[in-house]
Amino acid sequence: DNPRPDQVENLNTLKFSSENLVTIINDILDFSKIESGKMEFEAVDFNLKYIISSIHHALSGSALDKGLKFQMKYDSDLPDFVKGDPVRLSQVLNNLVGNAIKFTNKGHVIIQVGLKYLDEKQIEINFSVLDTGIGIPENKLNAIFDNFTQASSDTTRNYGGTGLGLAISKQLVELQGSKIKVESIEGKGSQFQFSLTFKRSDRNNKHQELDLADNNNFSAYSLKGVKVLLAEDNKINQVVAGKFLSKWDVEMDIAENGEEA
Protein backbone atom coordinates (compact mmCIF):
# COMPACT_ATOMS: atom_id res chain seq x y z
CA ASP A 1 0.00 0.00 0.00
CA ASN A 2 2.65 2.49 -1.10
CA PRO A 3 4.89 2.52 1.99
CA ARG A 4 7.21 5.45 2.62
CA PRO A 5 10.87 4.87 1.63
CA ASP A 6 11.89 4.77 5.31
CA GLN A 7 9.38 1.93 5.89
CA VAL A 8 10.55 -0.27 3.03
CA GLU A 9 13.68 -1.53 4.81
CA ASN A 10 11.66 -2.55 7.86
CA LEU A 11 9.08 -4.29 5.66
CA ASN A 12 11.85 -6.16 3.84
CA THR A 13 13.29 -7.25 7.18
CA LEU A 14 9.89 -8.54 8.28
CA LYS A 15 9.43 -10.34 4.96
CA PHE A 16 12.89 -11.95 5.16
CA SER A 17 12.31 -13.09 8.75
CA SER A 18 8.83 -14.42 7.96
CA GLU A 19 10.04 -16.41 4.96
CA ASN A 20 12.88 -17.93 7.00
CA LEU A 21 10.46 -18.89 9.76
CA VAL A 22 8.06 -20.51 7.28
CA THR A 23 10.95 -22.45 5.72
CA ILE A 24 12.09 -23.73 9.13
CA ILE A 25 8.55 -24.78 10.14
CA ASN A 26 7.90 -26.49 6.80
CA ASP A 27 11.24 -28.32 6.96
CA ILE A 28 10.52 -29.64 10.45
CA LEU A 29 6.97 -30.70 9.52
CA ASP A 30 8.18 -32.52 6.39
CA PHE A 31 11.02 -34.09 8.35
CA SER A 32 8.49 -35.38 10.91
CA LYS A 33 6.21 -36.78 8.17
CA ILE A 34 9.10 -38.63 6.54
CA GLU A 35 10.39 -39.98 9.86
CA SER A 36 6.92 -41.27 10.77
CA GLY A 37 6.40 -42.85 7.34
CA LYS A 38 3.38 -40.66 6.59
CA MET A 39 4.69 -38.85 3.52
CA GLU A 40 2.30 -39.43 0.61
CA PHE A 41 2.78 -38.68 -3.08
CA GLU A 42 0.17 -37.57 -5.60
CA ALA A 43 -0.28 -38.88 -9.13
CA VAL A 44 -1.86 -35.98 -10.99
CA ASP A 45 -1.44 -34.52 -14.46
CA PHE A 46 0.72 -31.39 -14.49
CA ASN A 47 2.55 -29.20 -16.95
CA LEU A 48 6.23 -29.94 -16.35
CA LYS A 49 7.60 -26.96 -18.25
CA TYR A 50 5.28 -24.63 -16.35
CA ILE A 51 6.62 -25.99 -13.03
CA ILE A 52 10.25 -25.47 -14.09
CA SER A 53 9.52 -22.02 -15.50
CA SER A 54 7.73 -21.02 -12.30
CA ILE A 55 10.73 -22.03 -10.19
CA HIS A 56 13.04 -20.13 -12.54
CA HIS A 57 10.82 -17.06 -12.39
CA ALA A 58 10.39 -17.19 -8.60
CA LEU A 59 14.14 -17.35 -7.94
CA SER A 60 15.28 -15.00 -10.72
CA GLY A 61 15.14 -12.01 -8.39
CA SER A 62 17.58 -13.60 -5.93
CA ALA A 63 19.98 -14.45 -8.75
CA LEU A 64 19.67 -10.97 -10.25
CA ASP A 65 20.42 -9.35 -6.89
CA LYS A 66 23.74 -11.22 -6.84
CA GLY A 67 24.55 -10.51 -10.48
CA LEU A 68 24.36 -14.19 -11.45
CA LYS A 69 23.54 -15.60 -14.87
CA PHE A 70 20.49 -17.79 -14.24
CA GLN A 71 19.50 -20.15 -17.06
CA MET A 72 16.89 -22.82 -17.70
CA LYS A 73 17.68 -25.50 -20.29
CA TYR A 74 14.66 -27.61 -21.17
CA ASP A 75 14.72 -30.58 -23.57
CA SER A 76 12.37 -29.93 -26.50
CA ASP A 77 11.60 -33.67 -26.74
CA LEU A 78 9.83 -33.66 -23.38
CA PRO A 79 6.00 -33.88 -23.45
CA ASP A 80 4.02 -30.95 -22.07
CA PHE A 81 2.21 -33.02 -19.44
CA VAL A 82 3.28 -35.87 -17.17
CA LYS A 83 1.57 -37.58 -14.24
CA GLY A 84 3.20 -37.42 -10.80
CA ASP A 85 3.58 -35.17 -7.78
CA PRO A 86 4.31 -31.56 -8.85
CA VAL A 87 4.44 -30.26 -5.27
CA ARG A 88 7.23 -32.59 -4.15
CA LEU A 89 9.14 -32.09 -7.39
CA SER A 90 8.93 -28.32 -6.89
CA GLN A 91 10.06 -28.71 -3.29
CA VAL A 92 13.20 -30.63 -4.25
CA LEU A 93 14.10 -28.31 -7.14
CA ASN A 94 13.38 -25.16 -5.12
CA ASN A 95 15.73 -26.46 -2.47
CA LEU A 96 18.54 -27.37 -4.88
CA VAL A 97 18.24 -24.19 -6.96
CA GLY A 98 17.81 -22.01 -3.87
CA ASN A 99 20.98 -23.49 -2.39
CA ALA A 100 22.86 -23.02 -5.65
CA ILE A 101 21.99 -19.32 -5.73
CA LYS A 102 22.67 -18.89 -2.01
CA PHE A 103 26.14 -20.44 -2.22
CA THR A 104 27.16 -18.80 -5.53
CA ASN A 105 28.64 -15.30 -5.41
CA LYS A 106 29.63 -14.97 -9.06
CA GLY A 107 29.15 -16.85 -12.30
CA HIS A 108 26.05 -18.83 -13.12
CA VAL A 109 23.34 -21.22 -11.95
CA ILE A 110 21.73 -23.53 -14.52
CA ILE A 111 18.63 -25.74 -14.31
CA GLN A 112 18.76 -28.58 -16.85
CA VAL A 113 15.80 -30.86 -17.59
CA GLY A 114 16.34 -33.68 -20.07
CA LEU A 115 14.62 -36.79 -21.41
CA LYS A 116 16.27 -40.01 -20.22
CA TYR A 117 13.79 -42.73 -21.20
CA LEU A 118 10.37 -42.86 -22.81
CA ASP A 119 7.85 -45.58 -23.63
CA GLU A 120 4.07 -45.78 -24.03
CA LYS A 121 3.36 -45.77 -20.29
CA GLN A 122 6.30 -44.09 -18.55
CA ILE A 123 8.84 -41.34 -18.94
CA GLU A 124 12.10 -40.93 -17.02
CA ILE A 125 13.37 -37.37 -16.72
CA ASN A 126 16.77 -36.17 -15.53
CA PHE A 127 17.03 -32.97 -13.47
CA SER A 128 20.34 -31.18 -12.91
CA VAL A 129 21.28 -28.02 -11.04
CA LEU A 130 24.75 -26.62 -11.78
CA ASP A 131 26.51 -23.68 -10.19
CA THR A 132 29.88 -21.94 -9.97
CA GLY A 133 29.61 -21.43 -6.23
CA ILE A 134 31.76 -22.12 -3.20
CA GLY A 135 31.61 -25.88 -3.72
CA ILE A 136 31.76 -28.64 -1.13
CA PRO A 137 34.90 -30.27 0.33
CA GLU A 138 35.26 -33.86 -0.87
CA ASN A 139 35.14 -35.23 2.69
CA LYS A 140 31.77 -33.48 3.24
CA LEU A 141 29.93 -34.67 0.12
CA ASN A 142 28.05 -37.40 1.97
CA ALA A 143 27.58 -35.51 5.23
CA ILE A 144 25.60 -32.65 3.62
CA PHE A 145 22.64 -35.02 3.26
CA ASP A 146 22.57 -35.83 6.98
CA ASN A 147 19.85 -34.32 9.17
CA PHE A 148 20.66 -30.90 10.65
CA THR A 149 24.09 -30.93 8.97
CA GLN A 150 25.77 -28.30 6.79
CA ALA A 151 29.08 -28.36 4.95
CA SER A 152 31.03 -26.32 7.52
CA SER A 153 30.60 -24.83 10.97
CA ASP A 154 30.24 -21.28 9.66
CA THR A 155 27.63 -22.09 6.98
CA THR A 156 24.66 -21.38 9.25
CA ARG A 157 26.22 -18.15 10.48
CA ASN A 158 27.02 -16.89 6.97
CA TYR A 159 24.11 -18.28 4.96
CA GLY A 160 21.36 -19.33 7.39
CA GLY A 161 19.24 -22.46 7.10
CA THR A 162 18.37 -25.46 9.26
CA GLY A 163 20.55 -28.15 7.71
CA LEU A 164 17.37 -30.06 6.84
CA GLY A 165 16.75 -28.98 3.23
CA LEU A 166 19.09 -31.42 1.50
CA ALA A 167 18.20 -34.24 3.91
CA ILE A 168 14.50 -33.81 3.09
CA SER A 169 15.18 -33.50 -0.65
CA LYS A 170 17.29 -36.66 -0.58
CA GLN A 171 14.56 -38.62 1.19
CA LEU A 172 11.78 -37.26 -1.06
CA VAL A 173 13.71 -38.44 -4.12
CA GLU A 174 14.54 -41.81 -2.55
CA LEU A 175 10.90 -42.40 -1.58
CA GLN A 176 10.16 -42.09 -5.31
CA GLY A 177 12.74 -44.74 -6.17
CA SER A 178 15.72 -42.61 -7.15
CA LYS A 179 18.83 -40.93 -5.68
CA ILE A 180 20.38 -37.48 -5.69
CA LYS A 181 23.97 -37.47 -6.96
CA VAL A 182 26.39 -34.63 -6.29
CA GLU A 183 29.69 -33.68 -7.86
CA SER A 184 31.61 -30.73 -6.49
CA ILE A 185 34.99 -29.04 -6.47
CA GLU A 186 35.65 -26.74 -3.55
CA GLY A 187 35.88 -23.15 -4.74
CA LYS A 188 34.66 -23.97 -8.27
CA GLY A 189 31.08 -25.16 -8.03
CA SER A 190 28.69 -28.08 -7.72
CA GLN A 191 26.26 -30.19 -9.71
CA PHE A 192 23.28 -31.94 -8.15
CA GLN A 193 21.26 -34.31 -10.29
CA PHE A 194 18.50 -36.90 -9.98
CA SER A 195 16.11 -38.78 -12.25
CA LEU A 196 12.41 -39.41 -11.64
CA THR A 197 10.01 -41.70 -13.47
CA PHE A 198 6.55 -40.32 -14.23
CA LYS A 199 3.51 -41.87 -15.87
CA ARG A 200 2.57 -40.64 -19.31
CA SER A 201 -0.33 -38.21 -19.33
CA ASP A 202 -3.21 -38.63 -21.75
CA ARG A 203 -4.26 -34.98 -21.53
CA ASN A 204 -4.87 -33.26 -24.84
CA ASN A 205 -2.23 -30.55 -24.79
CA LYS A 206 -3.89 -28.49 -27.50
CA HIS A 207 -6.81 -27.50 -25.29
CA GLN A 208 -5.08 -26.62 -22.03
CA GLU A 209 -4.36 -22.92 -22.63
CA LEU A 210 -7.00 -20.50 -21.37
CA ASP A 211 -6.89 -17.12 -23.06
CA LEU A 212 -8.95 -14.71 -20.98
CA ALA A 213 -8.72 -12.07 -23.71
CA ASP A 214 -10.92 -14.27 -25.89
CA ASN A 215 -13.72 -14.30 -23.31
CA ASN A 216 -16.26 -11.52 -23.80
CA ASN A 217 -16.66 -11.17 -20.02
CA PHE A 218 -13.06 -10.00 -19.62
CA SER A 219 -10.97 -7.21 -21.03
CA ALA A 220 -7.19 -7.06 -21.28
CA TYR A 221 -6.94 -4.37 -18.60
CA SER A 222 -9.79 -4.83 -16.11
CA LEU A 223 -11.86 -7.49 -14.39
CA LYS A 224 -14.65 -5.05 -13.62
CA GLY A 225 -18.02 -6.75 -13.53
CA VAL A 226 -16.57 -10.16 -12.73
CA LYS A 227 -18.11 -11.77 -9.63
CA VAL A 228 -16.00 -14.16 -7.54
CA LEU A 229 -16.91 -16.43 -4.66
CA LEU A 230 -13.78 -16.91 -2.57
CA ALA A 231 -13.98 -20.21 -0.65
CA GLU A 232 -11.24 -19.85 1.95
CA ASP A 233 -11.08 -20.71 5.66
CA ASN A 234 -7.87 -18.81 6.46
CA LYS A 235 -8.50 -15.22 7.56
CA ILE A 236 -5.13 -13.93 6.36
CA ASN A 237 -5.64 -15.50 2.93
CA GLN A 238 -9.05 -13.84 2.78
CA VAL A 239 -7.51 -10.43 3.44
CA VAL A 240 -4.66 -10.86 0.95
CA ALA A 241 -6.88 -12.25 -1.82
CA GLY A 242 -9.43 -9.53 -1.12
CA LYS A 243 -6.84 -6.78 -1.59
CA PHE A 244 -5.79 -8.14 -4.98
CA LEU A 245 -9.34 -8.72 -6.19
CA SER A 246 -10.48 -5.27 -5.10
CA LYS A 247 -7.60 -3.66 -6.99
CA TRP A 248 -8.79 -5.55 -10.08
CA ASP A 249 -12.37 -4.25 -9.60
CA VAL A 250 -13.70 -7.74 -8.85
CA GLU A 251 -16.94 -8.12 -6.90
CA MET A 252 -16.09 -10.65 -4.18
CA ASP A 253 -18.05 -12.65 -1.65
CA ILE A 254 -16.44 -14.98 0.90
CA ALA A 255 -17.45 -18.48 2.02
CA GLU A 256 -15.48 -19.67 5.03
CA ASN A 257 -15.94 -23.39 4.36
CA GLY A 258 -17.08 -25.82 1.71
CA GLU A 259 -20.60 -26.22 3.07
CA GLU A 260 -21.09 -22.43 3.11
CA ALA A 261 -19.72 -22.18 -0.44
Side-chain angles (χ1 to χ4, degrees):
D1 293 327
N2 300 314
R4 300 190 311 267
D6 61 299
Q7 295 174 320
V8 172
E9 185 176 354
N10 289 337
L11 286 169
N12 285 334
T13 300
L14 284 169
K15 182 173 181 286
F16 176 82
S17 299
S18 301
E19 288 172 347
N20 272 282
L21 182 59
V22 169
T23 299
I24 291 169
I25 293 171
N26 285 340
D27 280 352
I28 291 172
L29 288 172
D30 282 337
F31 177 70
S32 298
K33 281 183 186 177
I34 292 170
E35 288 290 289
S36 63
K38 294 183 178 179
M39 179 63 70
E40 297 179 352
F41 294 89
E42 287 187 311
V44 298
D45 293 309
F46 68 94
N47 188 318
L48 179 63
K49 190 171 185 178
Y50 175 79
I51 293 290
I52 305 301
S53 298
S54 296
I55 292 169
H56 183 268
H57 178 73
L59 296 173
S60 289
S62 299
L64 185 64
D65 288 343
K66 300 183 75 173
L68 303 177
K69 187 176 183 181
F70 187 28
Q71 294 179 296
M72 179 183 82
K73 297 183 178 180
Y74 191 88
D75 195 333
S76 59
D77 291 334
L78 287 167
D80 290 338
F81 286 86
V82 296
K83 182 173 286 189
D85 193 324
V87 174
R88 297 306 172 188
L89 174 62
S90 296
Q91 186 175 358
V92 173
L93 287 174
N94 266 310
N95 198 302
L96 296 180
V97 178
N99 276 354
I101 293 172
K102 181 164 67 172
F103 296 121
T104 302
N105 295 318
K106 61 180 180 179
H108 64 254
V109 172
I110 301 172
I111 309 171
Q112 290 183 337
V113 184
L115 178 63
K116 192 170 182 180
Y117 172 79
L118 178 69
D119 64 23
E120 292 182 357
K121 294 184 177 180
Q122 294 183 321
I123 177 170
E124 187 176 1
I125 299 171
N126 190 66
F127 302 89
S128 297
V129 178
L130 305 88
D131 66 63
T132 54
I134 61 174
I136 305 162
E138 188 173 355
N139 63 340
K140 296 285 187 178
L141 285 176
N142 292 323
I144 60 170
F145 292 104
D146 293 341
N147 299 330
F148 302 104
T149 301
Q150 294 188 318
S152 65
S153 58
D154 62 353
T155 298
T156 300
R157 183 175 70 252
N158 293 331
Y159 297 98
T162 60
L164 278 175
L166 282 178
I168 290 170
S169 297
K170 172 178 179 283
Q171 292 182 70
L172 287 176
V173 170
E174 288 181 351
L175 286 169
Q176 296 177 84
S178 187
K179 287 186 176 182
I180 295 182
K181 300 176 183 177
V182 56
E183 298 176 4
S184 186
I185 300 175
E186 191 173 6
K188 292 189 176 180
S190 306
Q191 176 177 355
F192 288 80
Q193 62 178 330
F194 63 95
S195 297
L196 289 178
T197 300
F198 300 94
K199 293 181 180 178
R200 295 288 299 271
S201 172
D202 56 5
R203 284 181 68 167
N204 186 342
N205 299 336
K206 293 182 180 179
H207 300 291
Q208 299 307 318
E209 298 300 325
L210 177 63
D211 186 355
L212 297 182
D214 289 340
N215 189 317
N216 292 329
N217 295 322
F218 295 83
S219 76
Y221 304 103
S222 173
L223 295 177
K224 191 169 185 177
V226 173
K227 296 181 180 181
V228 167
L229 174 64
L230 177 68
E232 173 60 66
D233 62 351
N234 184 290
K235 298 290 186 182
I236 299 298
N237 290 346
Q238 290 175 12
V239 171
V240 174
K243 282 181 177 289
F244 279 108
L245 292 171
S246 64
K247 287 179 181 177
W248 297 334
D249 297 321
V250 170
E251 296 179 33
M252 183 187 74
D253 196 8
I254 297 174
E256 294 196 355
N257 54 60
E259 184 177 0
E260 190 179 327

